[in-house]
Amino acid sequence: WGIGSNLNGSLGVNSTSTQFETFQQITTANSWLKVSPSLFFTLALKTDGTIWAWGQDDINQTGNPPASESQTTPIQVGTANDWIDVATSTNSTAFALKADGTIWGWGFNVGSLLVSSSSVVGVNTPIQINGVTGFVKICAGGSHILAQKANGTLWAWGTGPGRGVGDGSPTIGSVPLQISTDTWNYFSAGTGTSFGIKTDGTLWAWGLNTNGQLGLGTETNHSVPVQIGTDTNWNTVQTKN
């Protein structure tokens, strides 16, 4: 179900109305497993392992070329049925994780998230990122993405301090780099920030902090994780600034 702005068909309710003030059912299907909304487009994963997309499609966010102004109803992305996770960036990039641990992406190539080339503006159908395997969970920010491996380690690529791998990293783009050597229970990526909870229950933040959004009591940016407070009983954290 969806509520709020329906610009570019972002609610997927087959309507051109610009907004809804009550919840609207998105198709009659009752097999949805996970939904990941962005500003004007949405990805959703069904229990049968298929991915569906709707909303703004100006740079092929739905993975169904040719690009169009909007897609007002859910449309399947490709034909694969072995997807286990989906993530949308706060820009116009889409990601999905397969059961074999590979990560795929399409849409806007901001920060060379999809292809390590500044001349590639967008990708119109899902492509595999780097040929790297072993991932079990993903979360996308604005121009960076976080991904976790089965051993609990956290990895990132893209651009900006939200990657958490330090400003001096020689590799920028679609090559995953490990964030510290610690293991993590939970993580979340925002437009230029990231948050994570380590296996010891401590809460950490990194990225842009111009408005104090990292919760550290300062306005200093951090390109590597910095602990928030001293508590050790954090469970989940969520950002989509």
Side-chain angles (χ1 to χ4, degrees):
W1 296 67
I3 190 172
S5 173
N6 189 43
L7 291 177
N8 297 113
S10 52
L11 290 182
V13 293
N14 196 23
S15 172
T16 57
S17 297
T18 58
Q19 67 181 43
F20 289 90
E21 297 178 357
T22 59
F23 277 101
Q24 307 293 308
Q25 187 172 355
I26 302 170
T27 78
T28 58
N30 61 358
S31 56
W32 300 105
L33 181 65
K34 181 179 180 180
V35 60
S36 180
S38 185
L39 184 59
F40 295 124
F41 83 102
T42 302
L43 291 183
L45 175 66
K46 283 189 174 182
T47 54
D48 63 2
T50 59
I51 294 177
W52 299 71
W54 59 91
Q56 188 179 48
D57 195 33
D58 60 331
I59 197 162
N60 289 295
Q61 292 95 316
T62 70
N64 282 273
S68 61
E69 181 180 357
S70 61
Q71 172 66 38
T72 61
T73 58
I75 185 172
Q76 187 175 350
V77 181
T79 59
N81 61 358
D82 56 347
W83 303 106
I84 61 172
D85 199 7
V86 291
T88 57
S89 76
T90 55
N91 277 307
S92 300
T93 314
F95 292 95
L97 175 65
K98 283 194 172 185
D100 64 2
T102 58
I103 298 176
W104 300 64
W106 61 96
F108 191 24
N109 191 40
V110 59
S112 295
L113 276 171
L114 306 175
V115 181
S116 292
S117 172
S118 58
S119 63
V120 177
V121 177
V123 175
N124 59 18
T125 57
I127 61 169
Q128 186 177 344
I129 308 297
N130 306 309
V132 176
T133 63
F135 291 102
V136 296
K137 186 180 178 182
I138 54 177
C139 186
S143 57
H144 74 287
I145 181 174
L146 305 179
Q148 188 174 40
K149 289 191 174 183
N151 62 6
T153 58
L154 192 59
W155 299 69
W157 66 91
T159 60
R163 294 180 304 147
V165 295
D167 286 336
S169 170
T171 305
I172 295 176
S174 59
V175 178
L177 300 173
Q178 188 172 348
I179 300 173
S180 77
T181 58
D182 300 295
T183 54
W184 303 78
N185 275 343
Y186 204 90
F187 58 95
S188 182
T191 299
T193 60
S194 294
F195 294 83
I197 298 172
K198 292 185 179 180
T199 50
D200 62 4
T202 56
L203 178 62
W204 298 72
W206 58 98
L208 298 179
N209 194 36
T210 51
N211 296 306
Q213 57 264 50
L214 297 185
L216 301 170
T218 69
E219 295 182 355
T220 302
N221 298 338
H222 292 274
S223 59
V224 294
V226 179
Q227 188 174 352
I228 301 176
T230 58
D231 291 341
T232 59
N233 61 345
W234 295 102
N235 184 41
T236 58
V237 60
Q238 186 67 42
T239 179
K240 207 67 173 177
N241 55 301

